[in-house]
């Protein structure tokens, strides 16, 4: 039903039961052919890519009813979600559109975006269609060079760099600043494909110095740099709940 409901559930759990909720990316079942058929439901279960012969993802048959004036935005939204149009039938001022749409593309916020582009008028129904081949890669997210399993995700190869860039940029905007710079990286295996940094707080350590030898200022700046490097090495980053929802959002 979309991210709005997830945020409402989180708020009620916190207010009524004083419980916090860890939001992770919704998962779908992938069928992986690798010395037999293996079914996985999360990025942590994804096997070594070198052993994979074929990956299949669930595809849904989606039926959308909407006022005909929203045909263009619906087609654009569906194409962006890797949808394949099957039929389009007009019933007076109403249009009925049928798409084949990967479940991984619609499980997070497709319904939210559909309501947005149709001003709330569209309705959606779906049913399972088939498993179809797809090229999938696993992306790990590292915060301060530590992998955060809750942020790991699977995505299609053709959009991996765009999706990775979106996520690291969003995380950098919601993770609080520290006394040291926090690198946020997206990586496939050992290769970093996107990076954003949370800038550190800057303290002016030479503010009280007036004139004098330049070497005094350099000494203080060098000492500050060493201190921040040490904090970065031993410091832990607290990740707020907003960061988990930022990962889920698209577009």
């Amino acid at each position: 039903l979309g991210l709005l409901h997830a945020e409402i559930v989180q708020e009620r759990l916190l207010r009524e039961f004083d419980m916090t909720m860890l939001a992770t990316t919704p998962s779908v079942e992938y069928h992986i052919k690798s010395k037999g058929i293996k079914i996985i439901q999360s990025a942590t279960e994804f096997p070594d890519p070198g052993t994979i012969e074929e990956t299949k993802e669930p595809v849904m048959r989606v039926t959308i009813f909407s006022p005909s004036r929203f045909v263009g935005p619906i087609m654009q939204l569906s194409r962006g979600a890797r949808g394949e149009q099957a039929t389009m039938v007009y019933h007076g001022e109403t249009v009925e559109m049928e798409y084949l749409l990967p479940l991984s593309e619609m499980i997070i916020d497709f319904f939210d975006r559909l309501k947005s582009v149709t001003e709330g008028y569209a309705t959606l129904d779906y049913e399972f269609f088939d498993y179809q081949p797809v090229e999938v890669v696993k992306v790990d997210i590292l915060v301060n060079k530590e992998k955060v399993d809750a942020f790991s995700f699977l995505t299609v190869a053709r959009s991996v760099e765009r999706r990775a860039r979106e996520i690291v940029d969003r995380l950098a905007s919601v993770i609080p600043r520290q006394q040291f710079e926090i690198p946020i990286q997206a990586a496939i295996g050992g290769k970093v494909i996107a990076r954003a940094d949370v800038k550190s707080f800057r303290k002016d350590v030479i503010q009280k110095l007036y004139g004098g030898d330049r070497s005094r200022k350099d000494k203080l700046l060098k000492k500050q740099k060493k201190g921040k490097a040490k904090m970065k090495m031993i410091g832990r980053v607290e990740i707020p709940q907003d960061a988990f929802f930022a990962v889920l959002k698209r577009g």
Side-chain angles (χ1 to χ4, degrees), residues 66-166:
S66 168
S68 57
R69 66 180 183 274
F70 298 118
V71 167
I74 293 174
M75 293 178 68
Q76 184 177 1
L77 173 64
S78 300
R79 282 197 300 267
R82 296 191 287 130
E84 179 183 333
Q85 186 174 338
T87 63
M88 182 166 62
V89 181
Y90 284 88
H91 307 281
E93 294 298 317
T94 302
V95 63
E96 176 186 353
M97 308 174 72
E98 187 175 287
Y99 278 89
L100 298 181
L101 201 69
L103 181 58
S104 62
E105 296 288 344
M106 62 177 293
I107 197 172
I108 298 177
D109 62 354
F110 183 81
F111 186 65
D112 283 347
R113 291 186 289 162
L114 177 64
K115 285 292 187 181
S116 178
V117 300
T118 61
E119 300 175 7
Y121 284 103
T123 61
L124 178 147
D125 190 22
Y126 62 92
E127 62 181 2
F128 176 73
F129 175 69
D130 194 11
Y131 277 88
Q132 296 186 350
V134 65
E135 187 179 355
V136 173
V137 294
K138 176 187 175 184
V139 180
D140 292 314
I141 300 297
L142 294 83
V143 178
N144 199 25
K145 298 185 179 179
E146 290 189 12
K147 185 168 71 172
V148 182
D149 287 335
F151 289 155
S152 298
F153 63 95
L154 300 175
T155 188
V156 292
R158 72 183 189 187
S159 61
V160 61
E161 291 189 8
R162 174 183 58 80
R163 181 73 178 134
R165 169 52 56 189
E166 288 176 356

Side-chain angles (χ1 to χ4, degrees), residues 184-195:
I184 301 172
Q185 300 165 304
I188 300 175
K191 180 183 178 182
V192 175
I193 60 172
R195 171 174 174 154

